[in-house]
Amino acid sequence: MTVTGATLVIGATGTTGSRVAARLTAAGHRVRAAGRHATPVPGAEPVRFDWYEPATHLDALDGVDRVYLIPPLGDSDPAAVMLPFLRQARIAGVRRAVLLSSSAIPEGGPAVGRVHQALPGLFAQWAVLRPSWFMQNFTGTHAHALSIREEGVIWTATGSGRVGFVDAEDIAAVAVHALTDDHAPGTDLVLTGPEALSHDDIAVIITEVTGRPVVHRRLSPERMRDRLAAHVPPDFAAMLAGMDRAIAEGAEDRTTDVVQRLTGRPPRGFRAVAEREMTRSG
C-alpha cells in the first residue's frame, strides 16, 4: 500500500493499540494516537478521541487514510457509536479500516459482530481481527491478572475448556500487516497462539514461572456473571459469562496458522510470554 496519510490508532495506550502504534512508528509511518486524554505516545501525534463524544471524531480524522478500530470497552452495543463514526471516516478520506473483534463473536453476531458485518460495505480495504483471549489477561491489568497477584487465584466458568490464548504482540504484528500491506486481507482473521490451554494449565505455568502458587477456581456461569457485574454493566457481565460457558463447551479449543502466515514467524507460547512479562514485573 502506498502510504500517504496517517494511521489513526484508537485506544493507542491500550493492550493492542499501544503495540500497533509502536510498530507503525518504528517502521516510519505517521500515527495519530487517539485516546480520551490525548496521552503522549512516543513517535506519534496524540489526539483526543472519545467514542461517546462525536465532537472529537472529525478532528481525529484529519489527514488520516487508515484506522485501527478498538471498540468502546464494556459496551454491549458498540455499533450505535461506531457505525456513525465509520461513515464519517469514509467521507473524510479513510480508505482502509482494521477492526479488533473477538474469536468468540462471528460476523453479524452480538456486540462488535454488527460492526464486522457492516465494514465491507463501508470500505473497499478492510480486515477484522478476531483474536482468541489475550495472554496479557494474566500479566497486565485485567481482572485475572489482579486476582492472580492479590489472591493467587484465577476465577472462571470455563471448567476444563481449552483456549488458544494469543500474545498481544502477535495481534499487533498482524494488525500492522493488515494496515500497511499492499493488499488488505479483506476477510476476518482468527488469531491464536500455538497451543490450546485450559485455565488449569495456565495456573500451573504461572506457578512454575513465578514460584508463587496459583490455582484455577471454577464457578458456575451464574456466579461468574454476578462476580463480573460488580465491575462492568450487567448486560456485558452476562455476555462475558456466556463466553466462559462457550469455552467450557469447547468453542475455543482450536489453533490457527494466521500469525505464522501473515508475519512469517510462529506465534509465541504462553510460557514464553509469562517468562517475559511476569518475571519482569515480579
Side-chain angles (χ1 to χ4, degrees):
M1 181 181 184
T2 301
V3 178
T4 55
T7 300
L8 180 68
V9 176
I10 295 174
T13 59
T15 303
T16 66
S18 62
R19 291 167 167 85
V20 170
R23 286 173 177 268
L24 286 170
T25 56
H29 298 287
R30 289 176 53 212
V31 172
R32 304 201 85 198
R36 283 178 296 172
H37 305 293
T39 303
V41 171
E45 177 189 353
V47 57
R48 187 166 179 273
F49 179 91
D50 190 321
W51 281 115
Y52 303 105
E53 293 186 27
T56 67
H57 295 180
L58 192 58
D59 286 345
L61 289 166
D62 185 32
V64 166
D65 63 8
R66 291 160 293 158
V67 60
Y68 179 62
L69 298 158
I70 304 289
L73 184 65
D75 191 331
S76 59
D77 184 24
V81 292
M82 294 185 74
L83 293 183
F85 168 76
L86 290 173
R87 295 185 190 105
Q88 186 178 36
R90 181 178 63 180
I91 294 169
V94 170
R95 296 183 290 123
R96 183 177 298 197
V98 175
L99 169 67
L100 182 70
S101 181
S102 162
S103 61
I105 302 177
E107 179 182 1
V112 75
R114 284 182 54 211
V115 183
H116 177 171
Q117 187 175 44
L119 207 63
L122 291 167
F123 302 97
Q125 302 176 39
W126 64 278
V128 177
L129 309 187
R130 294 178 56 208
S132 183
W133 270 245
F134 294 6
M135 293 179 180
Q136 279 70 20
N137 288 356
F138 305 104
T139 68
T141 59
H142 186 277
H144 286 330
L146 297 178
S147 68
I148 287 168
R149 289 195 285 268
E150 294 170 3
E151 308 172 67
V153 176
I154 304 169
W155 302 92
T156 83
T158 61
S160 58
R162 300 195 304 169
V163 176
F165 295 102
V166 62
D167 182 8
E169 293 285 357
D170 290 332
I171 300 170
V174 172
V176 169
H177 174 92
L179 286 162
T180 63
D181 194 58
D182 286 342
H183 302 286
T187 188
D188 65 323
L189 302 164
V190 176
L191 311 179
T192 74
E195 58 187 342
L197 300 170
S198 70
H199 284 81
D200 293 326
D201 296 329
I202 292 289
V204 168
I205 293 170
I206 293 172
T207 298
E208 291 173 355
V209 168
T210 66
R212 299 189 303 272
V214 175
V215 296
H216 173 216
R217 299 291 188 210
R218 304 181 183 194
L219 301 174
S220 68
E222 294 74 23
R223 287 187 62 199
M224 191 66 197
R225 177 199 63 207
D226 293 344
R227 181 179 176 87
L228 291 165
H231 307 285
V232 299
D235 54 351
F236 194 66
M239 186 177 76
L240 293 175
M243 290 179 176
D244 269 18
R245 185 196 296 270
I247 290 171
E249 295 170 351
E252 292 296 324
D253 191 354
R254 59 180 165 179
T255 59
T256 71
D257 69 347
V258 172
V259 172
Q260 172 82 54
R261 187 157 42 85
L262 269 65
T263 70
R265 59 165 179 76
R268 295 175 182 85
F270 180 68
R271 184 178 294 273
V273 171
E275 289 173 346
R276 182 184 76 205
E277 299 188 9
M278 301 191 86
T279 54
R280 179 181 62 197
S281 64

